[in-house]
């Protein structure tokens, strides 16, 4: 099997060998929504890719095209990530790092590609909505606390 920091698969989970599929943490795949090639080690990715592979194996092709998201609770901090920072050419801060309540918004070519949040679940959920539905927001709006991002969704 072709490997590149994981088993290389196409959007259907097909490997370089006929009739062999792979899904989850072990795969390197292209994410069409983010236009990046990556390997994800998350429950969400494993479940979503498994659904794609199962459909492919029974002839019901359903290309994998999900926005990745993760979360982890670390003591008093809720860490949430959506999209990716890979390839970002602009990063903006929303919130207050000193108070452990902030989000980093990542942009590539003026397009939102990811949001990492610490104790800001609203930013995370809106980031998921923006990325899943291809809603454009500017880096200036993302950084401006006086703008309620919900009004942009």
């Amino acid at each position: 099997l072709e490997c590149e920091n994981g088993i290389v698969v196409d959007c259907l989970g097909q490997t370089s060998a006929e009739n062999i599929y792979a899904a989850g943490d072990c795969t390197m795949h292209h994410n069409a929504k983010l236009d990046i090639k990556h390997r994800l080690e998350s429950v969400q990715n494993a479940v979503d890719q498994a659904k794609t592979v199962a459909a492919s194996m029974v002839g019901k092709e359903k290309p994998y095209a999900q926005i990745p998201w993760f979360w982890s609770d670390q003591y008093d901090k809720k860490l949430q990530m959506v999209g990716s920072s890979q390839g970002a050419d602009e990063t903006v801060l929303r919130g207050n790092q000193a108070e452990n309540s902030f989000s980093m918004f990542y942009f590539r070519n003026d397009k939102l590609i990811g949001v990492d949040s610490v104790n800001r679940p609203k930013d995370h959920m809106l980031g998921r909505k923006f990325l899943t539905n291809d809603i454009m927001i500017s880096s200036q709006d993302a950084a401006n606390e006086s703008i309620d991002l919900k009004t942009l969704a």
Side-chain angles (χ1 to χ4, degrees):
L1 301 177
E2 180 185 351
C3 291
E4 181 184 318
N5 189 28
I7 300 168
V8 176
V9 297
D10 66 12
C11 65
L12 301 174
Q14 175 71 53
T15 68
S16 58
E18 187 178 351
N19 296 321
I20 297 179
Y21 295 84
D25 297 2
C26 67
T27 65
M28 173 66 78
H29 66 279
H30 180 259
N31 185 298
K33 295 275 278 180
L34 298 173
D35 193 26
I36 58 172
K37 192 173 184 181
H38 60 170
R39 179 177 167 193
L40 292 174
E41 297 179 16
S42 77
V43 172
Q44 175 257 344
N45 176 65
V47 169
D48 290 345
Q49 273 192 327
K51 291 176 184 177
T52 292
V53 166
S56 297
M57 291 174 74
V58 297
K60 297 180 180 180
E61 295 183 353
K62 179 184 161 194
Y64 180 82
Q66 303 296 319
I67 294 293
W69 57 271
F70 315 84
W71 65 269
S72 179
D73 290 329
Q74 301 291 319
Y75 300 98
D76 63 337
K77 293 174 184 66
K78 177 173 278 305
L79 311 175
Q80 295 173 290
M81 291 80 42
V82 60
S84 175
S85 61
Q86 185 179 330
D89 56 24
E90 184 177 11
T91 303
V92 298
L93 171 69
R94 184 178 183 90
N96 188 320
Q97 287 177 304
E99 295 176 5
N100 286 319
S101 178
F102 65 94
S103 294
M104 301 300 290
F105 285 72
Y106 303 99
F107 293 84
R108 183 187 328 117
N109 299 324
D110 298 321
K111 182 179 179 187
L112 181 68
I113 59 169
V115 180
D116 291 341
S117 301
V118 176
N119 296 327
R120 301 269 299 206
K122 182 178 174 185
D123 288 354
H124 172 76
M125 293 308 295
L126 287 168
R128 283 176 66 173
K129 188 170 196 169
F130 294 146
L131 291 166
T132 300
N133 297 309
D134 295 318
I135 297 170
M136 297 292 292
I137 69 164
S138 71
S139 58
Q140 294 80 15
D141 287 346
N144 187 343
E145 287 276 351
S146 68
I147 294 175
D148 181 357
L149 294 181
K150 191 173 182 179
T151 63
L152 304 177

